[in-house]
Amino acid sequence: MNNLKLLVAASAALALSACISAPAGPPGPQGATGDTGATGYTGATGKTGSTGNTGNTGYTGATGNTGATGNTGNTGATGYTGASGADGATGQRGKSGDTIVVVPPAR
């Protein structure tokens, strides 16, 4: 029975210890940082394709002919020039002292 008393006392102590809380201790030291893995290999750059061919230039049509020049019209006949008029009569001269008076012809 002695063991039974010890077992009961230990069980009671264990049950009561869950109800009693103690303040937390100081935090532990920071763990070391793990190693970084090696960088992977970068693949080679692919080749650039070749440039395509340029098409041929199309044919340019021939130049058309220039039309004929039209005829120049005839020049009209010259009109009749009228007859010349008759000359007027010569005026008379008068005398008054030493002065000479000239009268122009009437038209």
Side-chain angles (χ1 to χ4, degrees):
M1 193 144 86
N2 211 1
N3 284 338
L4 185 60
K5 285 184 183 183
L6 278 175
L7 185 61
V8 171
S11 296
L14 183 62
L16 289 176
S17 70
C19 295
I20 300 172
S21 61
Q30 178 75 27
T33 304
D35 292 336
T36 302
T39 303
Y41 173 72
T42 302
T45 304
K47 293 185 178 181
T48 302
S50 61
T51 304
N53 293 334
T54 303
N56 294 331
T57 304
Y59 172 73
T60 302
T63 304
N65 294 332
T66 303
T69 304
N71 293 332
T72 304
N74 294 331
T75 303
T78 304
Y80 171 75
T81 303
S84 297
D87 290 334
T90 304
Q92 296 178 355
R93 293 185 189 181
K95 191 170 185 185
S96 169
D98 291 333
T99 302
I100 299 174
V101 177
V102 176
V103 178
R107 292 221 176 206

Coordinates of all heavy atoms in Angstrom, one line a residue:
M1 N 0.8 -1.2 0.0 CA 0.0 0.0 0.0 C 0.8 1.3 0.0 O 0.3 2.3 -0.3 CB -0.8 -0.1 1.3 CG -1.8 0.9 1.2 SD -3.2 0.6 1.8 CE -4.1 0.6 2.7
N2 N 2.0 1.1 0.4 CA 2.9 2.2 0.4 C 3.1 2.8 -1.0 O 3.2 4.0 -1.2 CB 4.2 1.7 1.0 CG 4.9 2.8 1.8 OD1 4.4 3.9 1.9 ND2 6.1 2.5 2.3
N3 N 3.2 1.9 -1.9 CA 3.4 2.3 -3.3 C 2.1 3.0 -3.8 O 2.2 4.0 -4.6 CB 3.7 1.1 -4.2 CG 5.1 0.7 -4.1 OD1 6.0 1.4 -3.6 ND2 5.4 -0.6 -4.4
L4 N 1.0 2.6 -3.3 CA -0.2 3.2 -3.8 C -0.3 4.6 -3.3 O -0.8 5.5 -4.0 CB -1.4 2.3 -3.3 CG -2.8 2.8 -3.7 CD1 -2.9 2.7 -5.2 CD2 -3.8 1.9 -3.1
K5 N 0.1 4.9 -2.1 CA 0.0 6.2 -1.6 C 1.0 7.1 -2.4 O 0.7 8.3 -2.6 CB 0.4 6.2 -0.1 CG -0.6 5.7 0.8 CD -0.2 5.8 2.3 CE -1.2 5.3 3.2 NZ -0.8 5.4 4.6
L6 N 2.1 6.6 -2.7 CA 3.1 7.4 -3.5 C 2.5 7.7 -4.9 O 2.7 8.8 -5.4 CB 4.4 6.7 -3.6 CG 5.3 6.8 -2.4 CD1 6.6 5.9 -2.6 CD2 5.8 8.2 -2.2
L7 N 1.9 6.7 -5.4 CA 1.3 6.9 -6.8 C 0.2 7.9 -6.8 O 0.1 8.7 -7.7 CB 0.8 5.5 -7.3 CG 0.3 5.5 -8.7 CD1 1.4 5.9 -9.7 CD2 -0.3 4.1 -9.1
V8 N -0.7 7.9 -5.7 CA -1.8 8.8 -5.6 C -1.2 10.2 -5.4 O -1.6 11.2 -6.0 CB -2.7 8.4 -4.5 CG1 -3.7 9.5 -4.2 CG2 -3.4 7.1 -4.8
A9 N -0.2 10.4 -4.6 CA 0.4 11.7 -4.3 C 1.1 12.2 -5.5 O 1.0 13.4 -5.8 CB 1.4 11.5 -3.1
A10 N 1.8 11.3 -6.3 CA 2.4 11.8 -7.5 C 1.4 12.2 -8.6 O 1.6 13.2 -9.3 CB 3.3 10.7 -8.0
S11 N 0.3 11.5 -8.7 CA -0.7 11.8 -9.6 C -1.4 13.2 -9.2 O -1.7 14.0 -10.1 CB -1.8 10.7 -9.7 OG -1.2 9.5 -10.1
A12 N -1.6 13.4 -8.0 CA -2.2 14.7 -7.5 C -1.3 15.8 -7.8 O -1.7 16.9 -8.2 CB -2.6 14.6 -6.0
A13 N 0.0 15.6 -7.6 CA 1.0 16.7 -7.8 C 1.0 17.0 -9.3 O 1.1 18.2 -9.7 CB 2.3 16.3 -7.3
L14 N 1.0 16.0 -10.1 CA 1.0 16.2 -11.5 C -0.3 16.9 -12.0 O -0.2 17.8 -12.8 CB 1.1 14.8 -12.3 CG 1.3 14.9 -13.8 CD1 2.5 15.7 -14.2 CD2 1.3 13.5 -14.4
A15 N -1.4 16.6 -11.5 CA -2.7 17.2 -11.9 C -2.7 18.7 -11.4 O -3.1 19.6 -12.1 CB -3.8 16.5 -11.3
L16 N -2.2 19.0 -10.2 CA -2.1 20.4 -9.7 C -1.1 21.2 -10.5 O -1.2 22.4 -10.6 CB -1.9 20.4 -8.2 CG -3.0 19.9 -7.4 CD1 -2.6 19.8 -5.9 CD2 -4.2 20.7 -7.5
S17 N 0.0 20.6 -11.0 CA 1.0 21.3 -11.6 C 0.5 21.9 -12.9 O 1.0 23.0 -13.4 CB 2.2 20.5 -11.9 OG 2.0 19.5 -12.9
A18 N -0.5 21.4 -13.6 CA -1.1 21.9 -14.8 C -1.8 23.2 -14.5 O -2.0 24.0 -15.4 CB -1.9 20.9 -15.5
C19 N -2.4 23.3 -13.3 CA -3.1 24.5 -12.9 C -2.3 25.7 -12.5 O -2.7 26.8 -12.5 CB -4.1 24.2 -11.8 SG -5.4 23.0 -12.3
I20 N -1.1 25.4 -12.1 CA -0.2 26.5 -11.6 C 0.7 26.8 -12.8 O 1.4 26.0 -13.4 CB 0.7 25.9 -10.4 CG1 -0.3 25.5 -9.3 CG2 1.7 27.0 -10.0 CD1 0.5 24.9 -8.1
S21 N 0.8 28.2 -13.1 CA 1.7 28.6 -14.2 C 2.8 29.4 -13.6 O 2.6 30.2 -12.7 CB 0.9 29.4 -15.2 OG 0.3 30.5 -14.6
A22 N 4.0 29.3 -14.2 CA 5.1 30.0 -13.8 C 5.5 31.0 -14.9 O 5.2 30.7 -16.1 CB 6.3 29.1 -13.5
P23 N 6.1 32.1 -14.6 CA 6.5 33.0 -15.7 C 7.5 32.4 -16.6 O 8.3 31.5 -16.2 CB 7.1 34.2 -14.9 CG 7.5 33.7 -13.6 CD 6.6 32.6 -13.3
A24 N 7.5 32.8 -17.9 CA 8.4 32.2 -18.9 C 9.8 32.7 -18.7 O 10.0 33.8 -18.2 CB 7.9 32.6 -20.3
G25 N 10.7 31.9 -19.0 CA 12.1 32.2 -18.8 C 12.6 33.1 -20.0 O 11.9 33.4 -20.9
P26 N 13.9 33.5 -19.9 CA 14.4 34.4 -21.0 C 14.5 33.6 -22.3 O 14.6 32.4 -22.3 CB 15.8 34.8 -20.5 CG 16.2 33.7 -19.6 CD 14.9 33.2 -18.9
P27 N 14.4 34.3 -23.5 CA 14.4 33.6 -24.8 C 15.8 33.0 -25.0 O 16.8 33.6 -24.6 CB 14.0 34.7 -25.8 CG 14.4 36.0 -25.1 CD 14.2 35.7 -23.6
G28 N 15.8 31.9 -25.8 CA 17.1 31.3 -26.1 C 17.8 32.1 -27.2 O 17.3 33.0 -27.8
P29 N 19.1 31.7 -27.5 CA 19.8 32.4 -28.5 C 19.3 32.0 -29.9 O 18.6 31.0 -30.1 CB 21.2 31.9 -28.4 CG 21.1 30.5 -27.7 CD 19.8 30.7 -26.8
Q30 N 19.5 33.0 -30.9 CA 19.0 32.8 -32.3 C 19.8 31.6 -32.9 O 21.0 31.6 -32.8 CB 19.2 34.1 -33.1 CG 18.9 34.0 -34.5 CD 17.4 34.0 -34.7 OE1 16.6 34.6 -33.9 NE2 16.9 33.4 -35.8
G31 N 19.1 30.8 -33.7 CA 19.8 29.7 -34.3 C 20.6 30.2 -35.5 O 20.4 31.3 -36.1
A32 N 21.6 29.5 -35.9 CA 22.5 29.9 -37.1 C 21.7 29.8 -38.4 O 20.8 29.0 -38.5 CB 23.7 29.0 -37.1
T33 N 22.0 30.7 -39.3 CA 21.3 30.7 -40.6 C 21.9 29.5 -41.5 O 23.1 29.3 -41.5 CB 21.6 32.0 -41.4 OG1 21.2 33.1 -40.5 CG2 20.9 32.1 -42.7
G34 N 21.0 28.9 -42.2 CA 21.4 27.8 -43.0 C 22.2 28.2 -44.3 O 22.1 29.4 -44.7
D35 N 22.9 27.4 -44.9 CA 23.6 27.7 -46.1 C 22.7 27.9 -47.3 O 21.6 27.2 -47.4 CB 24.6 26.5 -46.5 CG 25.7 26.5 -45.4 OD1 26.0 27.5 -44.8 OD2 26.3 25.4 -45.3
T36 N 23.0 28.8 -48.2 CA 22.3 29.0 -49.4 C 22.7 28.1 -50.4 O 23.9 27.9 -50.6 CB 22.5 30.5 -49.9 OG1 22.1 31.4 -48.8 CG2 21.6 30.7 -51.1
G37 N 21.8 27.5 -51.2 CA 22.2 26.5 -52.2 C 22.9 27.2 -53.4 O 22.8 28.4 -53.6
A38 N 23.6 26.4 -54.2 CA 24.3 27.0 -55.3 C 23.3 27.4 -56.4 O 22.2 26.9 -56.5 CB 25.2 25.9 -55.9
T39 N 23.7 28.4 -57.2 CA 22.9 29.0 -58.2 C 22.8 28.0 -59.4 O 23.9 27.4 -59.7 CB 23.4 30.3 -58.7 OG1 23.5 31.2 -57.6 CG2 22.5 30.9 -59.8
G40 N 21.7 27.8 -60.0 CA 21.5 26.9 -61.1 C 22.2 27.4 -62.4 O 22.5 28.6 -62.5
Y41 N 22.4 26.5 -63.3 CA 23.1 26.9 -64.6 C 22.1 27.6 -65.5 O 21.0 27.2 -65.6 CB 23.6 25.6 -65.2 CG 24.1 25.8 -66.7 CD1 25.4 26.4 -66.9 CD2 23.4 25.3 -67.8 CE1 25.8 26.5 -68.2 CE2 23.9 25.5 -69.0 CZ 25.1 26.1 -69.2 OH 25.6 26.3 -70.5
T42 N 22.6 28.7 -66.2 CA 21.8 29.4 -67.2 C 22.0 28.8 -68.5 O 23.2 28.6 -68.9 CB 22.2 30.9 -67.2 OG1 22.0 31.4 -65.9 CG2 21.3 31.6 -68.2
G43 N 20.9 28.5 -69.2 CA 21.1 27.9 -70.6 C 21.7 28.8 -71.6 O 21.6 30.0 -71.4
A44 N 22.2 28.3 -72.6 CA 22.8 29.1 -73.7 C 21.7 29.8 -74.5 O 20.6 29.4 -74.6 CB 23.6 28.1 -74.6
T45 N 22.1 30.9 -75.1 CA 21.2 31.7 -75.9 C 20.9 31.0 -77.3 O 21.9 30.6 -77.9 CB 21.7 33.1 -76.1 OG1 22.0 33.7 -74.9 CG2 20.8 34.0 -76.9
G46 N 19.7 31.0 -77.7 CA 19.4 30.4 -79.0 C 19.8 31.3 -80.2 O 20.1 32.4 -80.0
K47 N 19.9 30.7 -81.3 CA 20.4 31.4 -82.5 C 19.3 32.2 -83.1 O 18.1 31.8 -83.0 CB 20.9 30.4 -83.6 CG 22.2 29.6 -83.1 CD 22.7 28.8 -84.2 CE 24.0 28.1 -83.7 NZ 24.6 27.3 -84.7
T48 N 19.6 33.2 -83.8 CA 18.6 34.1 -84.5 C 18.4 33.6 -85.9 O 19.4 33.3 -86.6 CB 19.2 35.6 -84.6 OG1 19.4 36.0 -83.2 CG2 18.2 36.5 -85.2
G49 N 17.2 33.5 -86.3 CA 16.9 33.1 -87.7 C 17.4 34.0 -88.8 O 17.6 35.2 -88.5
S50 N 17.5 33.5 -90.0 CA 18.0 34.4 -91.1 C 16.9 35.3 -91.6 O 15.8 35.0 -91.4 CB 18.6 33.5 -92.2 OG 17.6 32.7 -92.7
T51 N 17.3 36.4 -92.2 CA 16.4 37.3 -92.8 C 15.8 36.8 -94.1 O 16.5 36.2 -94.9 CB 17.1 38.7 -93.0 OG1 17.8 39.1 -91.8 CG2 16.2 39.7 -93.5
G52 N 14.5 37.0 -94.3 CA 13.9 36.6 -95.5 C 14.3 37.4 -96.7 O 14.8 38.5 -96.6
N53 N 14.1 36.8 -97.9 CA 14.4 37.5 -99.2 C 13.4 38.6 -99.5 O 12.3 38.5 -99.1 CB 14.5 36.5 -100.3 CG 15.6 35.5 -100.2 OD1 16.6 35.8 -99.6 ND2 15.4 34.4 -100.8
T54 N 13.9 39.6 -100.2 CA 13.0 40.7 -100.6 C 12.5 40.4 -102.0 O 13.2 39.9 -102.9 CB 13.8 42.1 -100.7 OG1 14.4 42.3 -99.4 CG2 12.9 43.2 -101.1
G55 N 11.2 40.6 -102.2 CA 10.6 40.3 -103.5 C 11.1 41.2 -104.6 O 11.6 42.3 -104.4
N56 N 11.0 40.8 -105.9 CA 11.4 41.6 -107.1 C 10.4 42.8 -107.3 O 9.3 42.7 -106.9 CB 11.4 40.8 -108.3 CG 12.5 39.7 -108.3 OD1 13.5 39.8 -107.6 ND2 12.2 38.6 -108.9
T57 N 11.0 43.8 -107.9 CA 10.1 45.0 -108.2 C 9.3 44.7 -109.4 O 9.8 44.1 -110.4 CB 11.1 46.2 -108.4 OG1 11.9 46.4 -107.3 CG2 10.3 47.5 -108.7
G58 N 8.1 45.1 -109.4 CA 7.2 44.9 -110.5 C 7.5 45.8 -111.7 O 8.2 46.8 -111.6
Y59 N 7.0 45.4 -113.0 CA 7.3 46.1 -114.2 C 6.6 47.4 -114.3 O 5.4 47.4 -113.9 CB 6.9 45.1 -115.4 CG 7.0 45.8 -116.7 CD1 8.2 46.1 -117.3 CD2 5.9 46.2 -117.4 CE1 8.3 46.7 -118.5 CE2 5.9 46.8 -118.6 CZ 7.1 47.1 -119.2 OH 7.2 47.7 -120.4
T60 N 7.2 48.4 -114.7 CA 6.6 49.7 -114.9 C 6.1 49.8 -116.4 O 6.9 49.5 -117.3 CB 7.5 50.9 -114.7 OG1 8.0 50.7 -113.3 CG2 6.9 52.2 -114.8
G61 N 4.8 50.1 -116.6 CA 4.3 50.2 -118.0 C 5.0 51.2 -118.8 O 5.6 52.2 -118.4
A62 N 4.9 51.0 -120.2 CA 5.5 52.0 -121.1 C 4.8 53.3 -121.1 O 3.6 53.4 -120.7 CB 5.5 51.4 -122.5
T63 N 5.4 54.3 -121.5 CA 4.9 55.7 -121.5 C 4.0 55.8 -122.8 O 4.4 55.4 -123.9 CB 6.0 56.7 -121.5 OG1 6.8 56.5 -120.4 CG2 5.4 58.1 -121.5
G64 N 2.8 56.4 -122.7 CA 1.9 56.6 -123.8 C 2.4 57.6 -124.8 O 3.2 58.5 -124.4
N65 N 1.9 57.6 -126.0 CA 2.3 58.6 -127.1 C 1.6 59.9 -126.8 O 0.5 59.9 -126.2 CB 2.0 58.1 -128.5 CG 2.8 56.9 -128.9 OD1 3.9 56.7 -128.4 ND2 2.2 56.0 -129.7
T66 N 2.3 61.0 -127.3 CA 1.7 62.3 -127.2 C 0.8 62.5 -128.4 O 1.2 62.2 -129.6 CB 2.8 63.4 -127.1 OG1 3.6 63.1 -126.0 CG2 2.2 64.7 -127.0
G67 N -0.4 63.1 -128.3 CA -1.3 63.3 -129.4 C -0.7 64.4 -130.3 O 0.1 65.2 -130.0
A68 N -1.2 64.4 -131.6 CA -0.8 65.3 -132.6 C -1.2 66.7 -132.2 O -2.2 66.9 -131.6 CB -1.3 64.9 -134.0
T69 N -0.5 67.7 -132.7 CA -0.8 69.1 -132.5 C -1.9 69.5 -133.5 O -1.8 69.2 -134.6 CB 0.4 70.0 -132.6 OG1 1.5 69.5 -131.8 CG2 0.1 71.4 -132.3
G70 N -2.9 70.3 -133.0 CA -4.0 70.7 -133.9 C -3.5 71.8 -134.9 O -2.5 72.4 -134.6
N71 N -4.2 72.0 -136.0 CA -3.9 73.0 -137.0 C -4.2 74.4 -136.4 O -5.1 74.5 -135.7 CB -4.7 72.8 -138.3 CG -4.2 71.5 -139.0 OD1 -3.1 71.0 -138.8 ND2 -5.1 70.9 -139.7
T72 N -3.5 75.4 -137.0 CA -3.7 76.7 -136.6 C -4.8 77.3 -137.5 O -4.7 77.1 -138.8 CB -2.4 77.6 -136.7 OG1 -1.4 76.9 -135.9 CG2 -2.6 79.0 -136.3
G73 N -5.8 78.0 -137.0 CA -6.8 78.6 -137.9 C -6.3 79.7 -138.8 O -5.2 80.2 -138.6
N74 N -7.0 79.9 -139.9 CA -6.7 80.9 -140.9 C -6.9 82.3 -140.4 O -7.8 82.5 -139.6 CB -7.5 80.7 -142.2 CG -7.2 79.4 -142.9 OD1 -6.1 78.9 -142.8 ND2 -8.2 78.8 -143.6
T75 N -6.1 83.2 -140.9 CA -6.2 84.6 -140.5 C -7.2 85.2 -141.4 O -7.2 85.0 -142.6 CB -4.8 85.3 -140.6 OG1 -3.9 84.6 -139.8 CG2 -4.9 86.7 -140.2
G76 N -8.1 86.0 -140.9 CA -9.1 86.6 -141.7 C -8.6 87.7 -142.6 O -7.5 88.2 -142.4
A77 N -9.3 88.0 -143.7 CA -8.9 89.0 -144.7 C -8.8 90.4 -144.0 O -9.6 90.7 -143.1 CB -9.8 89.0 -145.9
T78 N -8.0 91.2 -144.6 CA -7.9 92.6 -144.1 C -9.1 93.4 -144.6 O -9.4 93.3 -145.8 CB -6.6 93.3 -144.5 OG1 -5.5 92.4 -144.1 CG2 -6.5 94.6 -144.0
G79 N -9.7 94.2 -143.8 CA -10.9 95.0 -144.3 C -10.5 96.2 -145.2 O -9.3 96.6 -145.2
Y80 N -11.4 96.7 -145.9 CA -11.2 97.8 -146.9 C -11.0 99.1 -146.1 O -11.6 99.4 -145.1 CB -12.5 97.9 -147.8 CG -12.4 99.2 -148.6 CD1 -11.6 99.2 -149.8 CD2 -13.2 100.3 -148.4 CE1 -11.6 100.3 -150.6 CE2 -13.2 101.4 -149.2 CZ -12.4 101.4 -150.3 OH -12.4 102.5 -151.1
T81 N -10.0 99.8 -146.6 CA -9.7 101.1 -146.0 C -10.5 102.1 -146.8 O -10.4 102.1 -148.0 CB -8.2 101.4 -146.1 OG1 -7.5 100.4 -145.4 CG2 -7.9 102.8 -145.5
G82 N -11.2 103.0 -146.2 CA -12.0 104.0 -146.8 C -11.2 105.0 -147.7 O -10.0 105.2 -147.4
A83 N -11.9 105.7 -148.6 CA -11.2 106.7 -149.4 C -10.9 107.9 -148.6 O -11.5 108.2 -147.6 CB -12.1 107.1 -150.6
S84 N -9.8 108.6 -149.0 CA -9.4 109.8 -148.3 C -10.3 110.9 -148.7 O -10.8 111.0 -149.8 CB -8.0 110.2 -148.8 OG -7.1 109.2 -148.4
G85 N -10.6 111.8 -147.7 CA -11.5 112.9 -148.0 C -10.7 114.0 -148.8 O -9.5 114.0 -148.9
A86 N -11.5 114.9 -149.4 CA -10.9 116.0 -150.3 C -10.3 117.0 -149.4 O -10.8 117.2 -148.3 CB -12.0 116.6 -151.1
D87 N -9.3 117.7 -149.9 CA -8.7 118.8 -149.2 C -9.6 120.0 -149.2 O -10.3 120.2 -150.2 CB -7.3 119.1 -149.8 CG -6.3 118.0 -149.6 OD1 -6.4 117.3 -148.6 OD2 -5.4 117.9 -150.4
G88 N -9.6 120.8 -148.1 CA -10.4 122.0 -148.1 C -9.8 123.1 -148.9 O -8.6 123.1 -149.3
A89 N -10.6 124.1 -149.2 CA -10.1 125.2 -150.0 C -9.2 126.1 -149.2 O -9.3 126.1 -148.0 CB -11.3 126.0 -150.5
T90 N -8.3 126.8 -149.8 CA -7.4 127.6 -149.1 C -8.1 128.9 -148.8 O -8.9 129.5 -149.5 CB -6.2 128.0 -150.1 OG1 -5.6 126.8 -150.5 CG2 -5.2 128.8 -149.4
G91 N -7.9 129.4 -147.5 CA -8.5 130.6 -147.1 C -8.0 131.9 -147.7 O -6.9 131.9 -148.3
Q92 N -8.8 132.9 -147.6 CA -8.4 134.2 -148.2 C -7.5 135.0 -147.2 O -7.7 134.9 -146.0 CB -9.6 135.0 -148.6 CG -10.4 134.4 -149.6 CD -11.7 135.2 -149.9 OE1 -11.9 136.2 -149.3 NE2 -12.4 134.7 -150.9
R93 N -6.7 135.8 -147.8 CA -5.8 136.6 -146.9 C -6.3 138.1 -147.1 O -6.6 138.5 -148.2 CB -4.4 136.6 -147.4 CG -3.8 135.2 -147.2 CD -2.3 135.3 -147.6 NE -1.8 133.9 -147.6 CZ -0.6 133.7 -147.9 NH1 0.3 134.6 -148.2 NH2 -0.1 132.4 -147.9
G94 N -6.5 138.7 -146.0 CA -6.9 140.1 -146.0 C -5.7 141.0 -145.6 O -4.7 140.5 -145.1
K95 N -5.8 142.3 -145.8 CA -4.7 143.2 -145.5 C -5.3 144.4 -144.7 O -6.2 145.0 -145.2 CB -4.0 143.7 -146.8 CG -2.7 144.4 -146.6 CD -2.0 144.6 -147.9 CE -0.7 145.2 -147.6 NZ 0.0 145.6 -148.8
S96 N -4.7 144.7 -143.7 CA -5.1 145.8 -142.9 C -3.9 146.5 -142.3 O -3.3 146.1 -141.4 CB -6.0 145.3 -141.7 OG -6.2 146.3 -140.8
G97 N -3.4 147.5 -143.0 CA -2.2 148.2 -142.6 C -1.0 147.3 -142.8 O -0.9 146.7 -143.9
D98 N -0.2 147.2 -141.9 CA 1.0 146.3 -142.0 C 0.7 144.9 -141.5 O 1.6 144.0 -141.5 CB 2.2 146.9 -141.2 CG 2.7 148.2 -141.9 OD1 2.5 148.3 -143.1 OD2 3.3 149.0 -141.1
T99 N -0.5 144.6 -141.0 CA -0.8 143.3 -140.3 C -1.4 142.4 -141.4 O -2.2 142.8 -142.2 CB -1.8 143.5 -139.2 OG1 -1.3 144.4 -138.3 CG2 -2.1 142.1 -138.5
I100 N -0.9 141.1 -141.4 CA -1.4 140.1 -142.3 C -2.3 139.1 -141.5 O -1.9 138.6 -140.5 CB -0.3 139.3 -143.0 CG1 0.6 140.2 -143.8 CG2 -0.8 138.2 -143.9 CD1 1.8 139.6 -144.4
V101 N -3.5 138.9 -142.0 CA -4.4 138.0 -141.3 C -4.6 136.7 -142.1 O -4.9 136.8 -143.3 CB -5.8 138.7 -141.1 CG1 -6.8 137.7 -140.4 CG2 -5.6 139.9 -140.2
V102 N -4.4 135.5 -141.5 CA -4.6 134.3 -142.2 C -5.8 133.6 -141.7 O -6.0 133.4 -140.5 CB -3.3 133.3 -142.0 CG1 -3.5 132.0 -142.7 CG2 -2.1 134.0 -142.4
V103 N -6.7 133.2 -142.6 CA -8.0 132.6 -142.2 C -7.8 131.1 -142.6 O -7.5 130.8 -143.7 CB -9.2 133.2 -143.0 CG1 -10.5 132.5 -142.6 CG2 -9.2 134.7 -142.6
P104 N -8.0 130.2 -141.7 CA -7.9 128.7 -142.0 C -9.0 128.3 -142.9 O -10.1 128.9 -142.9 CB -7.9 128.1 -140.6 CG -8.6 129.0 -139.7 CD -8.4 130.4 -140.3
P105 N -8.8 127.2 -143.6 CA -9.9 126.7 -144.5 C -11.0 126.1 -143.7 O -10.9 125.6 -142.6 CB -9.2 125.7 -145.3 CG -8.0 125.3 -144.5 CD -7.6 126.4 -143.7
A106 N -12.2 126.2 -144.2 CA -13.4 125.7 -143.5 C -13.5 124.2 -143.8 O -13.2 123.7 -144.9 CB -14.6 126.4 -144.1
R107 N -14.0 123.5 -143.0 CA -14.1 122.0 -143.2 C -15.5 121.6 -143.1 O -16.3 121.9 -142.4 CB -13.3 121.3 -142.1 CG -11.8 121.5 -142.3 CD -11.1 120.3 -142.1 NE -9.7 120.6 -142.4 CZ -8.8 119.7 -142.7 NH1 -9.2 118.5 -142.9 NH2 -7.6 120.0 -143.0

